[in-house]
Amino acid sequence: MKALEGIKVLDFTHVQSGPTCTQLLAWFGADVIKVERPGVGDATRKQLVDVPGADSLYFTMLNHNKRSIEINSKDAAGKEVLTKLIETCDVLVENFAPGALDRMGFSWENIQKINPRIIVASVKGFGPGKYQDCKVYENVAQCAGGSASTTGFRDGIPMVTGAQIGDSGTGLHLCLGIVTALFQRERSGKGQKVLAAMQDGVLNLCRVKLRDQQRLERGPLTEYSQYGEGIEFDDAVPRAGNDSGGGQPGRILKCKGWEDDPNAYTYFITQAAVWEKVCDVIGKPEWKTDPDYATPKARLPHLNEIFGAIEDWTMTKTKFEVMDICNPLDIPVGPILSMKEIAEDEGLRKTGTIVEVDHPERGKYLTVGCPIKLSDSDVEVTRSPLLGEHTLEILSEVLGYGQDEIDRIVGSGAVGEAKAVAAE
Ligand SMILES: CC(C)(COP(=O)(O)OP(=O)(O)OC[C@H]1O[C@@H](n2cnc3c(N)ncnc32)[C@H](O)[C@@H]1OP(=O)(O)O)[C@@H](O)C(=O)NCCC(=O)NCCS
């Protein structure tokens, strides 16, 4: 049995944020029915195409374990099918531009009339307020949520991160909102609206920077490198390069081979509890007792010198050797892994975090499997659906339409071209 078995999800999502959420629900066992515009589908199907004629990796990697039905939501017969889906489903998830669902005729009030138990979950760029009507993409959310202003180097421009904290991050937040609302519905019997705004999601992940903003009002941020460098703080949290986000100084340091390999680096944290071991490893035993280096506070003005000495040592080792030497000593380090190294990592494949999937149009490809492991709800990653692959199956099996009604609906053009059998 899967955790969310029996839960039906009307997946009205597109691009990345919403699909991330519904893919997780599908992995936890929900029946996720993805509604797509006839003949077009989710825009990502045809974005960043690498195999001509096949669904892109952008689409396939965000839409596993789902079924696809084509419905024109602006057509009368399409609205009829959607209304039946709303009647049948436990959750509707959408991430259209603000107001789009209302314009289709499916306002929260109307949806509640159709099915008072349904949970309507939305990703929007901003919560209620002056920006509520804006369309928002990943990097806009990273900028509006405080990530860009706090990422990068102090003397450089704001930076976005490679991790999709605005899209995938908000999808995760929404997913938690949905299962929480499902849990509440067990007692209340009622559905509710769930909103995850991308700005809020990014800010939630930047919580420590709002912490630092308030600390800054009381004095300099002593664990930031700029403090040790004697550079004054402004009135907003600065970009801190690769300084660690906690109270323990950390940096990215070169390892053996850095001249040719852009990822021959390690993250190294000079955690106070293991300072003496750090001194021994890097050949500076005298720093254990030297009053200028022996305590975390005394070390703050010397961080550049200290990390310089550590780097002199890490440059004599590969990033994996650094890991092998430091880990047994509880010195926190981490190799900078390239995507190539991650794709080839046997351990990640064993745990199902990296999965190979077969697809009828594109053949085998790698994807990120479910990152959350439940001991009693296994995840089997199955390929993403082709556009409209399950239209007929959903009309008959899920919605109970008879053949005459199916012919009428298909004939109206509201569900695209009928695909008689699921493609394999
Ligand atoms: C992502 C986003 C910027 C894309 O904008 P967009 O490509 O213009 O797409 P929209 O959501 O505005 O939808 C465009 C239209 O398609 C229509 N549409 C979508 N599915 C349809 C269907 N099955 N049948 C008919 N029309 C459909 C919508 O109703 C809308 O029409 P309208 O403008 O007349 O109301 C926008 O959807 C958005 O801001 N979403 C919320 C935030 C978000 O999730 N952003 C991150 C995306 S990873």
Side-chain angles (χ1 to χ4, degrees):
M1 184 185 163
K2 302 261 167 82
L4 294 182
E5 214 167 283
I7 297 294
K8 282 200 168 13
V9 177
L10 195 178
D11 179 8
F12 223 162
T13 68
H14 65 154
V15 209
Q16 186 181 162
S17 63
T20 307
C21 166
T22 51
Q23 178 167 262
L24 283 166
L25 296 173
W27 281 338
F28 292 143
D31 180 6
V32 175
I33 298 169
K34 183 167 174 103
V35 175
E36 297 182 81
R37 199 199 299 248
V40 181
D42 188 325
T44 58
R45 283 188 187 268
K46 296 294 165 246
Q47 274 176 15
L48 308 176
V49 168
D50 59 323
V51 177
D55 283 331
S56 71
L57 286 169
Y58 195 3
F59 178 83
T60 56
M61 291 177 73
L62 287 163
N63 289 286
H64 293 104
N65 298 61
K66 304 179 186 178
R67 299 199 270 178
S68 165
I69 178 171
E70 287 170 286
I71 305 178
N72 182 347
S73 62
K74 293 185 173 166
D75 173 287
K79 284 185 201 294
E80 176 198 324
V81 177
L82 268 173
T83 304
K84 256 192 166 282
L85 271 172
I86 292 170
E87 261 168 31
T88 311
C89 287
D90 301 276
V91 185
L92 184 161
V93 192
E94 64 92 21
N95 67 311
F96 291 125
L101 204 58
D102 292 4
R103 287 193 289 279
M104 288 177 196
F106 295 106
S107 63
W108 165 238
E109 291 72 26
N110 287 348
I111 291 173
Q112 267 191 311
K113 278 186 206 140
I114 301 167
N115 178 1
R117 281 176 59 81
I118 200 165
I119 286 145
V120 176
S122 305
V123 170
K124 295 290 167 257
F126 293 93
K130 62 181 171 176
Y131 298 127
Q132 65 187 22
D133 293 328
C134 296
K135 291 188 177 185
V136 169
Y137 289 98
E138 171 69 48
N139 289 345
V140 176
Q142 287 197 25
C143 294
S147 177
S149 70
T150 53
T151 303
F153 288 91
R154 189 181 42 77
D155 49 1
I157 62 167
M159 297 284 281
V160 294
T161 78
Q164 303 286 282
I165 57 176
D167 282 344
S168 287
T170 308
L172 266 165
H173 282 90
L174 190 71
C175 193
L176 177 60
I178 291 169
V179 290
T180 306
L182 280 169
F183 189 69
Q184 188 173 355
R185 192 183 73 172
E186 288 298 299
R187 283 169 286 145
S188 71
K190 288 192 307 197
Q192 61 182 302
K193 277 195 286 183
V194 178
L195 170 67
M198 294 168 75
Q199 182 184 38
D200 300 7
V202 171
L203 178 57
N204 185 35
L205 299 176
C206 289
R207 181 170 293 261
V208 297
K209 298 296 180 181
L210 185 57
R211 172 201 69 193
D212 290 350
Q213 181 59 42
Q214 294 170 86
R215 290 174 57 226
L216 188 57
E217 284 158 23
R218 302 203 168 81
L221 304 170
T222 53
E223 77 285 11
Y224 282 48
S225 295
Q226 92 175 64
Y227 174 73
E229 290 161 8
I231 297 165
E232 281 218 7
F233 284 80
D234 217 330
D235 61 355
V237 172
R239 294 184 268 291
N242 291 316
D243 289 347
S244 108
Q248 311 285 347
R251 300 250 179 114
I252 287 185
L253 305 176
K254 291 171 184 157
C255 292
K256 198 184 204 169
W258 67 274
E259 299 90 339
D260 304 313
D261 176 355
N263 295 303
Y265 289 83
T266 187
Y267 201 90
F268 199 108
I269 302 176
T270 55
Q271 199 177 31
V274 290
W275 172 245
E276 299 201 343
K277 293 179 189 171
V278 172
C279 295
D280 285 336
V281 163
I282 64 168
K284 291 274 185 196
E286 65 277 15
W287 280 356
K288 290 194 271 189
T289 48
D290 186 328
D292 281 343
Y293 301 88
T295 65
K297 195 164 178 223
R299 287 194 287 275
L300 288 174
H302 306 290
L303 288 181
N304 281 353
E305 183 199 356
I306 289 169
F307 280 111
I310 300 173
E311 191 168 57
D312 285 344
W313 176 76
T314 57
M315 280 164 69
T316 66
K317 307 273 178 281
T318 69
K319 60 189 176 187
F320 297 111
E321 286 168 348
V322 171
M323 184 92 167
D324 290 344
I325 294 167
C326 291
N327 257 349
L329 300 172
D330 287 334
I331 301 172
V333 293
I336 308 304
L337 294 181
S338 69
M339 269 300 151
K340 184 169 184 295
E341 287 165 327
I342 288 172
E344 291 163 357
D345 189 310
E346 282 306 316
L348 291 175
R349 291 191 187 216
K350 274 205 189 105
T351 59
T353 299
I354 297 277
V355 185
E356 191 175 74
V357 185
D358 207 355
H359 187 276
E361 288 175 340
R362 57 176 307 116
K364 290 194 165 49
Y365 65 93
L366 287 186
T367 195
V368 184
C370 187
I372 304 160
K373 321 288 187 203
L374 272 63
S375 68
D376 205 15
S377 182
D378 267 0
V379 174
E380 190 205 339
V381 179
T382 59
R383 69 167 174 84
S384 57
L386 302 178
L387 178 60
E389 181 175 341
H390 306 97
T391 298
L392 294 182
E393 181 181 304
I394 290 163
L395 290 176
S396 64
E397 288 173 23
V398 179
L399 302 180
Y401 282 114
Q403 194 54 51
D404 289 352
E405 288 170 306
I406 292 178
D407 290 345
R408 172 181 60 83
I409 292 163
V410 172
S412 75
V415 293
E417 268 179 45
K419 289 154 186 98
V421 263
E424 249 329 314

